[in-house]
Amino acid sequence: MTGLFESEPASELAAAWARLVAAKARLIAADAPSAQGSAAKALDALYGPLARGERWVLGQMGQSLDGCIATRTGASHYVTGPESLVHLHRLRALADAVVVGPNTAAADDPRLTARLVEGPDPVRVVLDLRRMLPPGLRALSGGALRIVARTDEGGSRPRPGDAGFTDVEVDAPGGRVEPRALLGVLEERGLRRVLVEGGGRLVSSFLRADALDRLHVVVAPLLVGGGVPGVVPAPVDDLRDAVRPASRSYSMGVDVLFDLDLRTPSVSE
């Protein structure tokens, strides 16, 4: 298991990260040599495909050993450690857009920025199909996209800039938006690298729709004893039918990150 936060000179790790951000912006060649330290190489192995990729959809989830992202009362700060939060901000910096569902937006009131690392903030995309979220949420400030269900009656909706966000109408049969339809809406706006951040039901819906290219699951050495579940794929009756993608693992402090390549089957298959 490779460490992403090993004791290497901070300057070397910062330089390695800066190269990845530059690769995303196409300021350096994709085949330019990378840093040589072990942690710097781990950075490139994990984030390089994202920085250099033209389009991808990645789901991210932090959970306990027993598969919970929050307690049964909804307490979720913090399941994983500080290194995992830095990892999340790195993903945001490499994404064009970060998507969260209404429960995550309301319960956690996340800023959805990349403030802990060098790099640009992604476009914030908040699912609010029923237009129930209060406009004062931090995720809806300054240039966010609010995804709402298409209606025939028009109604009174904020115009772009009125409350810091823009309404984007989508078809939502049965009160749900199909993941690939949402991705199509985002791609029309030039948002091709998409981070699906939460909550568990949203990431699971993308997984079940085969709309994820990669899945990052951070597991903390923590036992919650029942609560809000994390990623829940479609159930199978035989383990031969289970999703078993190619994977790598990385240590992040006391947490362990599993990087799952959902487009590449495990070599054991």
Side-chain angles (χ1 to χ4, degrees):
M1 183 164 52
T2 308
L4 289 173
F5 292 89
E6 296 175 356
S7 55
E8 262 178 37
S11 59
E12 183 170 347
L13 293 179
W17 175 249
R19 293 182 69 81
L20 290 168
V21 173
K24 175 196 175 182
R26 304 297 187 264
L27 298 177
I28 62 173
D31 58 353
S34 57
Q36 297 303 307
S38 59
K41 287 182 177 179
L43 280 177
D44 191 73
L46 178 60
Y47 302 112
L50 306 178
R52 294 184 281 269
E54 293 288 344
R55 53 169 51 81
W56 46 261
V57 185
L58 185 149
Q60 194 277 341
M61 188 60 55
Q63 62 185 48
S64 64
L65 276 172
D66 51 348
C68 297
I69 61 175
T71 69
R72 59 186 180 181
T73 63
S76 60
H77 291 169
Y78 289 98
V79 172
T80 55
E83 294 88 352
S84 300
L85 187 59
V86 172
H87 165 67
L88 175 59
H89 283 228
R90 285 172 175 164
L91 293 180
R92 290 175 181 174
L94 295 177
D96 297 329
V98 55
V99 183
V100 296
N103 293 337
T104 296
D108 297 341
D109 194 16
R111 282 180 271 183
L112 302 180
T113 66
R115 62 192 178 279
L116 295 183
V117 300
E118 294 295 328
D121 291 334
V123 173
R124 284 153 295 154
V125 181
V126 181
L127 270 64
D128 184 20
L129 297 178
R130 300 176 181 174
R131 300 178 172 88
M132 299 292 289
L133 290 176
L137 293 176
R138 293 186 295 187
L140 289 174
S141 64
L145 300 179
R146 185 177 72 155
I147 306 299
V148 298
R150 193 184 310 279
T151 60
D152 296 328
E153 66 272 14
S156 59
R157 299 188 301 275
R159 296 186 304 274
D162 281 358
F165 59 87
T166 300
D167 275 351
V168 178
E169 291 192 333
V170 298
D171 293 322
R176 295 180 180 276
V177 60
E178 203 279 324
R180 291 188 180 277
L182 175 59
L183 293 174
V185 168
L186 298 182
E187 182 155 4
E188 289 174 357
R189 289 161 174 76
L191 306 173
R192 298 180 177 87
R193 291 170 285 200
V194 179
L195 170 62
V196 184
E197 186 170 317
R201 284 189 293 182
L202 180 64
V203 175
S204 298
S205 72
F206 272 72
L207 179 62
R208 291 181 179 222
D210 192 28
L212 294 179
D213 299 305
R214 303 187 86 90
L215 176 62
H216 283 188
V217 179
V218 180
V219 180
L222 176 70
L223 295 170
V224 175
V228 181
V231 179
V232 182
V236 298
D237 294 324
D238 193 300
L239 287 179
R240 289 176 296 183
D241 299 322
V243 179
R244 199 184 298 270
S247 66
R248 298 185 190 183
S249 59
Y250 300 83
S251 63
M252 298 194 303
V254 298
D255 300 337
V256 177
L257 164 66
F258 293 91
D259 172 26
L260 308 178
D261 181 355
L262 298 172
R263 300 303 175 212
T264 303
S266 170
V267 293
S268 63
E269 291 188 14

